[in-house]
Amino acid sequence: MAYQTKTDLRNQVIYSVYVRNYSEEGTFAAVERDLDRIKGLGVDIIWFLPIYPIGKEKRKGTLGSPYAIADYRKVNPELGTMDDFKRLVEEIHARGMKCMLDIVYNHTSPDSWLVENHPEYFYKTPDGEMGNRVGDWGDIVDLDYSNKELWAYQIETLKMWAGLADGFRCDVAPLVPLEFWLEAREEVAKVNPDCIWLSESVEPEFIQEMRGRGMTALSDSEIFQAFDLCYDYDIYKAFRQYLSGEGTLCDYIKEINRQETIYPANYVKMRYLENHDQERAKKIITGEEALRNWTAFIYFQKGATLLYAGQENQNEERPDLFDKDVISLDGSRDISGQLEQLYRVKKLPVMANSSYYLTACEELGAVVGEHKEIQGSGRLVGAFSFEGKSGQVKIGLKDGTYRNLADGKEIQVQDGKVDLKMCPVIVEETL
């Protein structure tokens, strides 16, 4: 784990924005006009999917993927100018939020500035041509980190952006050498010592496949040496298997509990129901009450919470990365009230520094969890019902009336249990 990592990152909510598809206009200025609404959801950090010029060669779709970058040091003119982006960041800061940039250092577009000016920085196939090592990424060419001059260029680029932004989300960071990330973090700290580092860590199966090809493929435990946060892909398969009926709730909860023992004490996971690479939560969790409970659960979980723009309006379709595909923010299925309420829970001190344990109630399709403050007297108890079953679940509270922080209403605990119809339930008490 990066020893500098602060556990109060577990109190943070990250909001992911794909500028092109955020509005019909698809510009920095359009996002700027919506900052007050975003702030009102309860957001600390806005993470922008790549904002750089997109390559034209081997482009996928009409407009191309933002992850096929043509120039790391410029902004995509389709989104606005550099001055437009700087103004957007200023307005984000003026509202007490932070800005995180997407960094894509495994590859560039085949017609990037680096390809044209530094072809020696790139991986070569056995026939001596530039290429990529992951077959379906046909619109990019891989960089070669055995060339230390590439390191210098990439780090200087990071330092340039670190003077403006507050953090980096690093795309497929496990495919880039750990030694590079450690050096990059050290150098960036000279410009911005408070820079936040988020790794898109990857699925265990992907790590195994890449290592089988002789490639660098870092585990979460390795990633945590250089990064503050990483994705939840180490347990995501168990989550999806439970939803599909291929796995049990106990299997999924066991994986979450295991994180408490295999990672350093100050580990921070980014918890989510959806992101730009996965199906929308509303698509995979169709029941209204089930989704309400799952939403509360990701806020209750130990770690930062991710919202993907449109999630607050329960969008069902994941936006296309390669073409214009605008999300809906029309308020027709708005859950911003719930998100605002849960944001208050996320800010509780106990969330930043606790021992954390979950218990699955398989027969009821429910989970009970507890945060117990380390070297403190705070305790947070939660109960979440995922299958809409009737019954009562033991919650570990004395009988009485409590205020449910999940919705602000009163709940009753009788015989140490709560009715599943009351869920989600989140209660704070002092021991």
Side-chain angles (χ1 to χ4, degrees), residues 302-322:
K302 190 175 188 176
T305 299
L306 173 69
L307 297 173
Y308 185 32
Q311 187 172 345
E312 67 270 39
N313 198 50
Q314 299 186 79
N315 283 201
E316 292 190 48
E317 300 302 323
R318 178 179 50 177
D320 193 312
L321 271 184
F322 313 114

Side-chain angles (χ1 to χ4, degrees), residues 151-172:
W151 289 36
Y153 181 87
Q154 299 291 64
I155 290 171
E156 282 304 310
T157 302
L158 286 170
K159 292 169 77 171
M160 180 197 92
W161 287 112
L164 177 64
D166 305 288
F168 301 119
R169 177 268 185 188
C170 299
D171 187 65
V172 288

Side-chain angles (χ1 to χ4, degrees), residues 285-302:
I285 306 167
T286 55
E288 183 176 337
E289 285 303 307
L291 184 54
R292 192 165 71 91
N293 276 268
W294 276 109
T295 301
F297 183 60
I298 62 163
Y299 276 80
F300 180 83
Q301 279 235 64
K302 190 175 188 176

Side-chain angles (χ1 to χ4, degrees), residues 350-392:
V350 67
M351 298 290 278
N353 190 30
S354 71
S355 61
Y356 179 57
Y357 190 77
L358 300 171
T359 301
C361 307
E362 193 76 56
E363 69 281 2
L364 295 173
V367 168
V368 175
E370 177 186 76
H371 289 270
K372 187 177 292 185
E373 192 172 15
I374 297 173
Q375 297 180 334
S377 58
R379 180 171 178 253
L380 198 67
V381 178
F384 309 91
S385 175
F386 300 137
E387 298 178 17
K389 293 180 178 179
S390 298
Q392 294 181 321

Side-chain angles (χ1 to χ4, degrees), residues 79-139:
L79 310 181
T81 65
M82 181 67 84
D83 285 341
D84 292 334
F85 183 67
K86 288 179 179 179
R87 185 169 58 250
L88 171 57
V89 175
E90 288 174 1
E91 292 299 320
I92 289 171
H93 289 163
R95 288 162 175 80
M97 296 183 288
K98 295 181 178 180
C99 168
M100 181 178 287
L101 294 181
D102 212 319
I103 300 299
V104 187
Y105 269 11
N106 178 67
H107 50 259
T108 75
S109 70
D111 54 352
S112 68
W113 186 91
L114 281 181
V115 166
E116 294 174 1
N117 291 274
H118 289 284
E120 70 277 13
Y121 290 175
F122 289 83
Y123 160 79
K124 303 298 191 301
T125 63
D127 59 8
E129 300 296 321
M130 292 182 194
N132 70 85
R133 291 162 290 183
V134 181
D136 60 343
W137 299 352
D139 56 344

Side-chain angles (χ1 to χ4, degrees), residues 84-261:
D84 292 334
F85 183 67
K86 288 179 179 179
R87 185 169 58 250
L88 171 57
V89 175
E90 288 174 1
E91 292 299 320
I92 289 171
H93 289 163
R95 288 162 175 80
M97 296 183 288
K98 295 181 178 180
C99 168
M100 181 178 287
L101 294 181
D102 212 319
I103 300 299
V104 187
Y105 269 11
N106 178 67
H107 50 259
T108 75
S109 70
D111 54 352
S112 68
W113 186 91
L114 281 181
V115 166
E116 294 174 1
N117 291 274
H118 289 284
E120 70 277 13
Y121 290 175
F122 289 83
Y123 160 79
K124 303 298 191 301
T125 63
D127 59 8
E129 300 296 321
M130 292 182 194
N132 70 85
R133 291 162 290 183
V134 181
D136 60 343
W137 299 352
D139 56 344
I140 55 92
V141 288
D142 285 357
L143 289 158
D144 178 7
Y145 280 84
S146 67
N147 188 321
K148 287 299 184 75
E149 291 181 2
L150 170 62
W151 289 36
Y153 181 87
Q154 299 291 64
I155 290 171
E156 282 304 310
T157 302
L158 286 170
K159 292 169 77 171
M160 180 197 92
W161 287 112
L164 177 64
D166 305 288
F168 301 119
R169 177 268 185 188
C170 299
D171 187 65
V172 288
L175 301 189
V176 176
L178 176 61
E179 294 76 14
F180 169 81
W181 292 122
L182 290 168
E183 184 174 324
R185 179 167 186 143
E186 183 178 349
E187 287 297 313
V188 166
K190 296 175 182 177
V191 176
N192 181 1
D194 297 318
C195 184
I196 300 168
W197 292 82
L198 164 63
S199 166
E200 183 202 19
S201 47
V202 296
E203 300 89 340
E205 296 80 6
F206 186 76
I207 293 172
Q208 188 171 17
E209 180 185 353
M210 295 301 102
R211 287 179 175 179
R213 299 184 191 181
M215 293 172 57
T216 295
L218 305 175
S219 67
D220 285 13
S221 296
E222 291 171 297
I223 281 292
F224 269 139
Q225 296 178 51
F227 287 83
D228 299 304
L229 307 96
C230 74
Y231 274 46
D232 233 359
Y233 279 145
D234 55 329
I235 63 171
Y236 188 73
K237 182 178 180 180
F239 166 64
R240 292 300 297 266
Q241 285 178 330
Y242 166 59
L243 291 182
S244 68
E246 299 173 45
T248 69
L249 184 57
C250 286
D251 291 338
Y252 173 53
I253 297 307
K254 183 179 179 180
E255 290 297 303
I256 299 175
N257 284 335
R258 192 167 63 93
Q259 292 177 330
E260 281 286 280
T261 62

